[in-house]
Amino acid sequence: MGRGVSSRQMLHAGPDGTTHETPLLSVSFHVPQEPSDTVKTGGAIFVDRDGVLNRFGSMKSANDVDRLAEPGAVESLVRLMKTTKLPVYVVTNQQGANKTGGRAKAEVALDRLAELIVANGGKFAAILYCPNRHFTPVPSGTVNGFKPGGGMFLEAAGQHNLDLSKSYMVGDSVKDMVAAKKAHPDIQTVLVKTGKAGQDDHLPHPPEAWEDNINTAVDWIIAQEAKLS
Ligand SMILES: [Mg+2]
């Protein structure tokens, strides 16, 4: 099996009437353990969806995205994009996408999320989702896209020449923290106290930050980046 990555371009009408494209990448199978070794363009910010951008439940429809969104999450993400100028990616496990009709359902919700960001003046660099049913053993030399596998991070890094050592991951579960560190040990992890709040498993190492929610996680990342400039 090759990289097994498929993508489509989503077109969105922005507030100014122009169209915006957000690549939606399905990281279905396994990706090489190392991202591309060409010159890196810089760091990125990765954000989990369920439990981070929505505090409760799972976004299974466009309506769910509007109904369940964590207050301020969309505005905070746009602020993050504009202030840091770093590309922002959603990395989300979507087991349901493997069911009949599940892919379309998953994509409708992700599409709506991208649309809300555009409507608020931002844009995701890409949304990556992994429809694997569970975390299965993978061939030597590859990693699974399904978190706690690091494949979605490596896929984004390989496609966009990202420097993972200068990147961040915001998540609510131990799986998010482990996946990021597997992709690169220097990714700075931010665990939020919404959703699973890191209670789903034993944390093998403390996150670099433990924040109340996505809004304060964004504040923390902006402060970290400000120290570098
Ligand atoms: Mg989550």
Side-chain angles (χ1 to χ4, degrees):
M1 192 68 70
R3 289 174 82 90
V5 175
S6 63
S7 67
R8 72 174 173 86
Q9 296 291 318
M10 296 191 298
L11 291 175
H12 300 290
D16 53 358
T18 58
T19 56
H20 300 261
E21 296 179 353
T22 298
L24 189 62
L25 307 177
S26 170
V27 183
S28 303
F29 300 106
H30 315 128
V31 297
Q33 278 177 345
E34 300 292 336
S36 163
D37 58 0
T38 52
V39 176
K40 303 293 189 289
T41 54
I45 298 162
F46 297 92
V47 182
D48 174 46
R49 193 190 72 177
D50 294 334
V52 177
L53 303 184
N54 48 304
R55 183 175 294 234
F56 305 108
S58 178
M59 294 168 164
K60 292 181 176 139
S61 68
N63 190 38
D64 280 352
V65 178
D66 295 285
R67 192 170 59 86
L68 297 173
E70 173 77 6
V74 168
E75 294 81 0
S76 287
L77 285 179
V78 172
R79 183 163 55 92
L80 182 65
M81 293 164 183
K82 288 184 171 174
T83 309
T84 66
K85 311 268 195 263
L86 293 175
V88 176
Y89 297 81
V90 173
V91 285
T92 176
N93 284 351
Q94 291 294 322
Q95 295 182 73
N98 233 338
K99 297 174 185 163
T100 305
R103 194 178 198 102
K105 274 190 198 165
E107 293 194 354
V108 161
L110 294 170
D111 200 357
R112 176 60 182 157
L113 184 58
E115 195 176 82
L116 285 176
I117 293 291
V118 168
N120 280 270
K123 184 176 180 298
F124 287 122
I127 293 176
L128 296 96
Y129 71 94
C130 187
N132 291 4
R133 282 188 195 278
H134 48 74
F135 188 54
T136 51
V138 298
S140 174
T142 68
V143 296
N144 202 324
F146 198 79
K147 296 176 288 184
M152 285 191 277
F153 301 84
L154 296 176
E155 181 61 28
Q159 289 211 8
H160 294 171
N161 284 327
L162 305 175
D163 186 345
L164 291 177
S165 73
K166 295 177 180 160
S167 297
Y168 301 85
M169 168 62 186
V170 183
D172 69 307
S173 77
V174 171
K175 280 201 287 283
D176 295 318
M177 306 293 102
V178 171
K181 292 293 187 186
K182 271 190 194 163
H184 199 291
D186 293 337
I187 290 185
Q188 297 198 66
T189 51
V190 185
L191 184 60
V192 291
K193 296 176 186 172
T194 50
K196 293 191 171 75
Q199 300 300 304
D200 54 314
D201 203 348
H202 171 71
L203 259 179
H205 37 68
E208 274 70 30
W210 199 321
E211 289 293 333
D212 285 343
N213 53 50
I214 181 64
N215 303 307
T216 60
V218 163
D219 292 338
W220 185 82
I221 294 172
I222 288 173
Q224 292 300 111
E225 284 295 298
K227 287 181 199 166
L228 301 175
S229 59

